[in-house]
C-alpha cells in the first residue's frame, strides 16, 4: 500500500501487539470525516491479555480495550456507528449481560447499529466474547 497519511494503522501500546497474528487493532481513514475500523477486541487487558473464564468479565474487559482503541483516535463510544458481537455458545443470559454492559457505555439516545453472531469458538479456546467496531468523527 502506498504511504497515505489519510490511512493510518494505530495499535495502542496498552494492548497486545497484534502484528505477529497478521492484523492491526485499528485503521483510521480521513476523507473528509475520520473513519476508524477497529479489529475484534476480546477479554483480557494489556500485552499479556490473560482471560478470566467468566463471560461478564470478558465483556467488561473487551469494552475497556475498545475504549483504549477509541481514545487512541481521539474518539469515544459516541463515535461508534457499527458493532459486531461474537458470542461463544450464545444464549439469552449472555444477551442480558451484554445489554447491561452496553448500557454503561452507550447512551440510549445514540446506539450503534449492531450484528450479533453466535459462534462455537473464537481465535483462542478460552475466548467467550469479541467485539469489533466502526467509528466516525466529523
Amino acid at each position: 500500500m502506498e504511504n497515505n497519511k489519510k490511512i493510518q494503522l494505530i495499535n495502542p501500546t496498552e494492548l497486545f501487539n497484534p502484528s505477529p497474528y497478521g492484523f492491526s487493532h485499528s485503521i483510521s481513514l480521513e476523507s473528509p470525516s475520520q473513519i476508524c475500523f477497529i479489529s475484534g477486541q476480546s477479554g483480557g487487558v494489556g500485552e499479556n491479555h490473560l482471560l478470566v473464564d467468566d463471560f461478564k468479565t470478558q465483556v467488561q474487559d473487551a469494552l475497556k480495550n475498545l475504549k483504549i482503541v477509541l481514545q487512541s483516535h481521539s474518539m469515544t463510544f459516541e463515535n461508534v456507528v457499527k458493532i459486531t458481537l461474537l458470542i461463544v455458545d450464545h444464549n439469552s443470559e449472555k444477551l442480558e449481560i451484554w445489554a447491561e454492559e452496553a448500557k454503561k457505555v452507550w447512551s440510549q439516545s445514540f446506539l450503534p447499529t449492531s450484528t450479533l453472531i453466535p459462534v462455537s469458538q473464537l481465535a483462542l479456546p478460552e475466548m467467550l466474547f469479541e467485539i469489533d467496531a466502526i467509528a466516525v468523527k466529523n
Side-chain angles (χ1 to χ4, degrees):
M1 180 187 335
E2 206 176 293
N3 185 5
N4 185 339
K5 291 186 179 183
K6 292 188 176 193
I7 299 174
Q8 292 183 311
L9 303 177
I10 297 181
N11 293 300
T13 56
E14 299 92 344
L15 302 177
F16 74 95
N17 178 5
S19 60
Y21 305 102
F23 71 96
S24 294
H25 282 293
S26 62
I27 293 175
S28 182
L29 170 67
E30 292 185 39
S31 76
S33 297
Q34 180 183 3
I35 303 170
C36 180
F37 301 89
I38 302 171
S39 289
Q41 299 298 310
S42 61
V45 179
E47 181 65 35
N48 296 324
H49 64 283
L50 298 175
L51 295 167
V52 175
D53 188 22
D54 175 71
F55 181 76
K56 183 174 184 172
T57 302
Q58 287 197 22
V59 169
Q60 291 169 336
D61 286 351
L63 288 170
K64 288 177 190 172
N65 290 338
L66 179 56
K67 182 179 181 178
I68 289 169
V69 177
L70 288 166
Q71 288 175 334
S72 73
H73 293 273
S74 300
M75 294 186 185
T76 69
F77 285 103
E78 296 299 316
N79 295 101
V80 175
V81 296
K82 171 76 170 101
I83 56 174
T84 302
L85 311 172
L86 302 167
I87 298 177
V88 173
D89 299 327
H90 172 67
N91 59 39
S92 60
E93 180 184 330
K94 289 180 179 177
L95 184 58
E96 287 175 26
I97 290 169
W98 161 252
E100 176 185 314
E101 296 304 317
K103 287 176 187 175
K104 294 177 184 176
V105 299
W106 279 287
S107 72
Q108 295 302 300
S109 63
F110 185 82
L111 295 169
T113 60
S114 176
T115 301
L116 188 153
I117 303 172
V119 296
S120 60
Q121 184 177 334
L122 291 164
L124 300 173
E126 60 270 18
M127 288 173 63
L128 303 174
F129 177 82
E130 188 170 2
I131 180 172
D132 73 16
I134 299 172
V136 177
K137 183 169 69 172
N138 293 325

